[in-house]
Amino acid sequence: MKKLVLSLLTVAALSTAALAQNNKLVKFGVKAGLAFPNMTFSAGNASFSYGTKTSYYVGGTVEFELSDLVSIQPGLTFINKGTKINSSSFGFDNDDFLTDINATLNFKYLELPVNALVNFKVANSGKLFVGAGPYFAYALSGNVKMGSMKEKIEFKDSGFNRSDFGLNFLAGFQLNNGLNIHAGYGLGLSNMANDEEAQDFDASIKHKVFTVGLGFSF
């Protein structure tokens, strides 16, 4: 799967370079907004989601127009992913001895998405767009916070993989002046757990993130 995603990214990069040489319409853009990530854990037949936290993302895009209907949009995004872990994550009642658990996992990623967009013109006001595509992400840093304590995550020894890949889904509306509002969903396909014990239990930890924000194309 990882080789397939990387192959898709390579093909997309070569295609967009060819489009630029063919003088197709190219638009650059910036974007920023709120992210609501969490992480899911599964082992065997058991599966559950940790708590959602609130974070942010900023980035840039390059859009290559194939036709009035279809375009290809690679980009580069800085995004803060992770999750909240507390007693409710495990379904414990208030009287349980683990009630006071309250921790946050934070991962700062540099993410490369390559999305295919379908654009629908809306009268003379702008366009509605929907799209999807793969992404590859590399963790720049990570930490875990519990109360007043904060500990850096060392990826080599922490049991977490530094790289992540998955699929993006997005939709939005763009005005004729270039301003747009958009929402997206990132579905992680890569197992973030890189630990011998996790592998023994066939455990898997994956990212999921919902985003909403504003952008501008020029």
Side-chain angles (χ1 to χ4, degrees):
M1 177 63 75
K2 185 174 182 179
K3 291 183 178 179
L4 174 61
V5 172
L6 292 177
S7 296
L8 289 172
L9 294 176
T10 301
V11 170
L14 293 175
S15 299
T16 52
L19 287 174
Q21 293 177 356
N22 288 332
N23 296 319
K24 294 291 184 179
L25 183 61
V26 179
K27 290 186 177 180
F28 296 90
V30 292
K31 61 181 180 178
L34 295 175
F36 304 95
N38 72 346
M39 301 177 77
T40 59
F41 173 86
S42 63
N45 295 324
S47 178
F48 63 89
S49 294
Y50 294 108
T52 300
K53 72 169 194 169
T54 302
S55 64
Y56 61 92
Y57 68 94
V58 294
T61 60
V62 183
E63 184 173 348
F64 299 89
E65 187 177 283
L66 302 180
S67 68
D68 290 338
L69 184 65
V70 180
S71 57
I72 300 295
Q73 187 188 77
L76 193 62
T77 306
F78 177 81
I79 185 168
N80 189 325
K81 297 184 182 182
T83 191
K84 284 186 175 181
I85 301 174
N86 48 49
S87 57
S88 61
S89 299
F90 304 96
F92 292 125
D93 295 329
N94 290 335
D95 295 334
D96 197 277
F97 70 97
L98 287 176
T99 298
D100 294 331
I101 287 181
N102 188 6
T104 304
L105 286 173
N106 303 291
F107 298 94
K108 293 178 179 171
Y109 281 98
L110 195 60
E111 186 171 290
L112 173 66
V114 180
N115 296 308
L117 303 181
V118 181
N119 306 284
F120 304 95
K121 290 185 178 180
V122 180
N124 295 319
S125 60
K127 68 175 183 178
L128 177 70
F129 60 90
V130 294
Y135 76 82
F136 177 79
Y138 183 81
L140 302 176
S141 65
N143 65 71
V144 55
K145 296 176 68 175
M146 181 179 289
S148 60
M149 297 184 297
K150 181 178 179 180
E151 183 177 344
K152 181 179 179 181
I153 293 177
E154 300 290 349
F155 287 92
K156 184 177 180 180
D157 304 315
S158 66
F160 287 103
N161 284 316
R162 188 180 284 273
S163 60
D164 178 34
F165 66 91
L167 294 175
N168 277 321
F169 303 91
L170 70 158
F173 183 80
Q174 181 170 300
L175 298 171
N176 287 330
N177 63 9
L179 182 67
N180 71 74
I181 182 170
H182 56 266
Y185 181 73
L187 177 64
L189 300 178
S190 176
N191 184 3
M192 300 307 299
N194 183 21
D195 182 87
E196 291 184 1
E197 293 183 5
Q199 294 174 2
D200 290 341
F201 287 97
D202 195 25
S204 176
I205 301 175
K206 297 180 180 180
H207 285 296
K208 292 182 178 180
V209 56
F210 173 76
T211 58
V212 59
L214 297 174
F216 187 78
S217 296
F218 50 91

